[in-house]
Amino acid sequence: MKLLEDAILEKGTILEGNVLKVDNFLNHQIDPALMKALGDEFAREFADKGITKILTVETSGIAPAVFAGLELGVPVVFGRKNKSLTLQDNMFTTSVYSYTKQTSSDISISKDFLSPTDHVLLIDDFLANGQAISGLLSICKSAGASVAGIGIVIEKSFQKGRRIVEETGIPILSLARIKSLDENGLVFIDEEGQ
Ligand code: 5GP
């Protein structure tokens, strides 16, 4: 998606360890117009898939997920990273290892908001090693919910997450796909997938 690629090139910063910093428009300060464009694109792609609910993870998946939910007319549920002890029994919980923070944390979703009748679209800000998406997939499995598709804002295609998702056979749309990211700069995968 050109609008997103332009924002990454203009405002993103490359950090050590193949990490892309995009806190100017996605991870800290949020660009609402861009988030709406991203959400609309996800909604267009998955419009005819019978989606009943969007699932994301706090914090940075929420903005694009809400705009997609608005367009599809479905609720958005975000996995909470700090589970409330009083609600523990009523939660689906899974442990997720964070590539950027190099620590594991629990992601929880209330059993009130996910059920076997749900056909879910998963949305997240980044796909790197696939841990966050795998965690959401395992929560959907626990809930008996089916997964219609996966929407990613920025995919780092050189890491293993894309392969993990492809092995599940679940349709995926990544709005920006990064082929390489290092001290020499950033290269996107083009529309032919090269
Ligand atoms: P994964 O679970 O696929 O390894 O990584 C996904 C999560 O890690 C995302 O939700 C995001 O928070 C974080 N992440 C992974 N790579 C990057 C990166 O290059 N930049 C930023 N800002 N976050 C990243």
Side-chain angles (χ1 to χ4, degrees), residues 83-103:
K83 73 184 163 196
S84 154
L85 289 173
T86 53
L87 289 175
Q88 211 166 5
D89 286 348
N90 198 38
M91 306 289 263
F92 297 113
T93 299
T94 189
S95 176
V96 168
Y97 181 77
S98 162
Y99 173 82
T100 40
K101 296 188 190 122
Q102 313 245 310
T103 54

Side-chain angles (χ1 to χ4, degrees), residues 18-22 27 96-100 124-133 156 159 181:
N18 307 111
V19 171
L20 177 66
K21 189 174 176 193
V22 284
N27 288 145
V96 168
Y97 181 77
S98 162
Y99 173 82
T100 40
D124 204 6
D125 61 340
F126 272 87
L127 178 65
N129 288 308
Q131 299 299 301
I133 286 297
K156 297 196 292 184
Q159 291 181 287
L181 174 72

